[in-house]
Amino acid sequence: MNNLLNNLQGYVMGGYAGNHLMGISDTDVALGASAGRTTAAAILQFNKAAVAPAIVNMQPAQKGSVSVVFPTWSKLGLAAESSAGAEGADVAVSDLTSAATTVEILRQSITAQVPDLVTHGSSDNILAQAGLVLGNSVAARFDKKVADLLDNFATTAGAATTSMSWNDIMDAVGNLEKNDAPRPYSAMFHPLQVYGSQGLSNELGSIASDQGIGALNGTSVGEQLASAGFVASIGGVNIYTSPQVAGSSDHHTGAIMAKTAISVGYIDQGGGSFIQVESDRNVLGASTVLAANGYFEAIETVDLHGVTMNTETS
């Protein structure tokens, strides 16, 4: 019965490189007390996930539809002022324009098969634990969908050859304000853009690698980052980190944006959730099949309401 859990396999659909096999191995758990051992509570390794839903425009698809249309109206110039004595004169007609951005909702899924011997041989609730891991994988996929769009904004701040700085964040905020992007603003950064020798935490020290004296040194934000290890907001920008933010070995590309910059169409599985985990019996295979499904897709809706930030990270 050794290595029974090596039979626990998940098939990942729509992954980064197409369909591929995911092996899950946890040796000895199925032996339990029968081998004179005490099995501790399982340690589940999760992806950091569900970062993006809070910072994008979410719209559920109505029953009977698999696409969501996001109408976007163009901004008008200032109203014209009439000249003295001509208040009753006709005013030139302004054109109102709008564009319809349509996103087709796609299925994101991952499936695992749990043999009955594994379930019986484990003292844990292995089906519940497997379901949590599968659902987490779909949530991380949601973040990846949004992160893949962060490099597309026409406006940029920072550079791949310099570390993240306070000035980069203020440049981004200035551009968003200039383009009348509605608040609140949120940043989705790779963790290395916030932490480490080239991250925003670099601004804490008395000597920062790029800026000389850290801009956050001696500030309440700097104290929060130094004591708590994270910062929730800086300069009016809510800070979020996700390993799904793309990059290379020495730089990563996040963004600061308003919610209107990126929109997501999804199928509501109940209570606003876009993830559903279900089980089914495979009688011939003497196993339980678990499937986690999410139906969603992300698209850029207002380009000028986002600022791409490509910064050095190592």
Side-chain angles (χ1 to χ4, degrees), residues 64-175:
S65 67
V66 292
S67 297
V68 176
V69 178
F70 295 94
T72 305
W73 288 79
S74 298
K75 183 174 61 176
L76 292 177
L78 300 181
E81 181 181 36
S82 62
S83 58
E87 288 79 3
D90 291 340
V91 178
V93 177
S94 298
D95 292 329
L96 294 174
T97 60
S98 66
T101 303
T102 303
V103 61
E104 180 182 359
I105 297 172
L106 300 176
R107 177 191 178 204
Q108 321 292 326
S109 63
I110 182 169
T111 303
Q113 184 168 289
V114 186
D116 290 348
L117 280 176
V118 173
T119 304
H120 181 77
S122 174
S123 58
D124 287 332
N125 187 347
I126 195 168
L127 293 179
Q129 293 170 350
L132 290 173
V133 173
L134 295 179
N136 171 256
S137 176
V138 176
R141 182 66 175 171
F142 186 103
D143 289 351
K144 182 70 166 58
K145 285 281 188 179
V146 173
D148 285 346
L149 298 175
L150 302 181
D151 194 23
N152 296 339
F153 298 126
T155 310
T156 63
T161 55
T162 58
S163 63
M164 177 74 73
S165 72
W166 163 259
N167 287 336
D168 293 334
I169 292 178
M170 289 297 97
D171 283 346
V173 171
N175 277 292

Side-chain angles (χ1 to χ4, degrees), residues 169-247:
I169 292 178
M170 289 297 97
D171 283 346
V173 171
N175 277 292
L176 292 175
E177 289 284 353
K178 179 184 71 175
N179 292 314
D180 298 314
R183 286 181 180 265
Y185 301 151
S186 297
M188 187 172 180
F189 293 146
H190 189 274
L192 293 179
Q193 290 184 289
V194 176
Y195 307 104
S197 61
Q198 303 295 331
L200 186 60
S201 59
N202 185 44
E203 290 276 34
L204 283 178
S206 58
I207 299 177
S209 61
D210 287 337
Q211 291 78 40
I213 297 178
L216 303 182
N217 198 35
T219 67
S220 60
V221 173
E223 290 175 2
Q224 179 188 4
L225 185 56
S227 61
F230 68 92
V231 58
S233 178
I234 178 172
V237 178
N238 298 319
I239 305 296
Y240 296 86
T241 62
S242 170
Q244 305 306 326
V245 171

